[in-house]
Amino acid sequence: MTAHTLPRPAFMRHVLAANVAFSVTFAVLFTFVAGAVANFTDVAWQPYYRALGVGLFAFGAFVFYTRQTLNPRLIWTVFALDVAWVVGSYVLLVLNLLPVTTAAKWAFAGIADAVLVFAILEWWGMRR
């Protein structure tokens, strides 16, 4: 399956563009406002938040490239990474492994839920 034979290439471009915007938004927050994020979560994790932000910039660049090429293998890779983020987030939250505020747990769950929506839309766009 090539970009020209994707079931819904325009739909997939929109989903991936939204994923890029979401990823880069949180990359900026975690990288450049790590102190405020650490205050919100009530843990001194600024270096970890910055590292996460840099990783999200890299992920955003990868998703942007995938959006440009619409390579099905890359789309499935983005899907797999999104699913891994969601599963990892939910495991950390359900097992109560994050020593953060309740508000931060809700925020992390909201982020995971948004990423889950991206994963569902990517899967749906590839399977139609």
Side-chain angles (χ1 to χ4, degrees), residues 8-84:
R8 298 177 52 126
F11 174 80
M12 188 59 69
R13 282 191 200 279
H14 293 307
V15 169
L16 293 172
N19 197 332
V20 169
F22 188 81
S23 299
V24 170
T25 297
F26 281 95
V28 168
L29 287 174
F30 286 129
T31 303
F32 300 112
V33 199
V37 174
N39 287 339
F40 173 71
T41 60
D42 200 27
V43 290
W45 290 351
Q46 291 95 330
Y48 302 108
Y49 287 135
R50 285 192 183 97
L52 177 60
V54 170
L56 285 171
F57 275 121
F59 178 73
F62 176 70
V63 178
F64 180 81
Y65 176 76
T66 300
R67 181 190 180 278
Q68 298 305 109
T69 64
L70 287 183
N71 180 318
R73 286 186 182 166
L74 297 180
I75 295 170
W76 283 118
T77 301
V78 170
F79 167 78
L81 291 170
D82 282 344
V83 168

Side-chain angles (χ1 to χ4, degrees), residues 15 17 41 58 61 68 77 80 86 92-94 99 103 106 109-110 114 117 124-125:
V15 169
T41 60
Q68 298 305 109
T77 301
V86 171
L92 290 173
L93 290 167
V94 168
W106 279 103
V117 170
W124 185 72

